[in-house]
Amino acid sequence: MLYVDGKWVEEGQAAVNPEDRGYNFGDGIYEVVRIYKGKMYQWDAHLTRLYRSAREIKLELPWSMEELNEIASQLLQKNNISEEDDATLYLQISRGAAPRVHDIPSGIQPVIMAFVRHKARPVADMKKGWTAQLVDDIRWLRCDIKTLNLLGAVLVKQYAKDAGAQESILHRNGTITECSSSNLFAVKNEALYTHPADHLILHGITRQSVIDLAKENGIPVHEKPFDIPFLMQADELFLTSTTAEIMPLISVDGQPIGDGQVGTVVQKLQALFEQHINTNVLV
Ligand code: PMP
């Protein structure tokens, strides 16, 4: 069952208004929430980011947090998500449908849509790591907004895939920002380095969890930009996201990072994260 514009709809029965601005312009916002063992992880943080994205694109949300809570929990129930299940919840809100003009039509009603999908954790990949490709960050200058307009992200991910890598590491004139659908961390001398949470990156929920866990466990974290030479000479690299969790990157452009193996700091963070999601952080 999907939730589409206020109604519960069977798979395959959902329809899109041809003049929905999400469809025409990518004019809308979204969240992807992790479900571990039937429970949502960091739901409150996702909601807070959703409301922020809405504000930043001048979209007034007609739903309270309680109403969105209710929709999410019904979605899990109606799809029989149980304690056995790892899954993801996708929630998007488009500006709504109106005759096609660029400026924002007045009185337009936002359209909500949500679905849930079974998704296993990438356990094997987290042990062996991914390879990455450096790609020019061709996206716009408001990467902090989780917008439906993802063409830049689609293209940079595809450039990496075409080069035989699993993820792209993006740079603006040589300064590393993040990855196509994840945040990036470098490890140097047992400390973490990552781009500050400004307009050039998405303020990842997993990124923040990792920063908090690192600090609580005595691993220094520097939120400051770094360049390509620093990246290539890092002891370890890893990316973070809701679905990829904490994923080691063992090479960039075919060149091994450190000794080309999954490093000890990333392994420690993975273990801390595992503990963290198995404790009381789920709602
Ligand atoms: N950066 C970008 C560009 C993303 O699309 C995402 C989400 N897939 C992330 C970072 C990671 O964010 P989160 O940890 O909240 O999933």
Side-chain angles (χ1 to χ4, degrees), residues 150-171:
L150 286 174
L151 189 54
V154 166
L155 290 178
V156 292
K157 178 79 107 194
Q158 192 56 39
Y159 296 151
K161 289 272 157 110
D162 290 346
Q166 280 112 326
E167 179 59 300
S168 50
I169 295 177
L170 307 178
H171 70 92

Side-chain angles (χ1 to χ4, degrees), residues 139 143 168-170 176-179 182-184 200-202:
R139 303 171 306 163
C143 295
S168 50
I169 295 177
L170 307 178
I176 305 298
T177 50
E178 57 176 339
C179 303
S182 49
N183 292 113
L184 184 79
L200 295 180
I201 69 162
L202 186 77

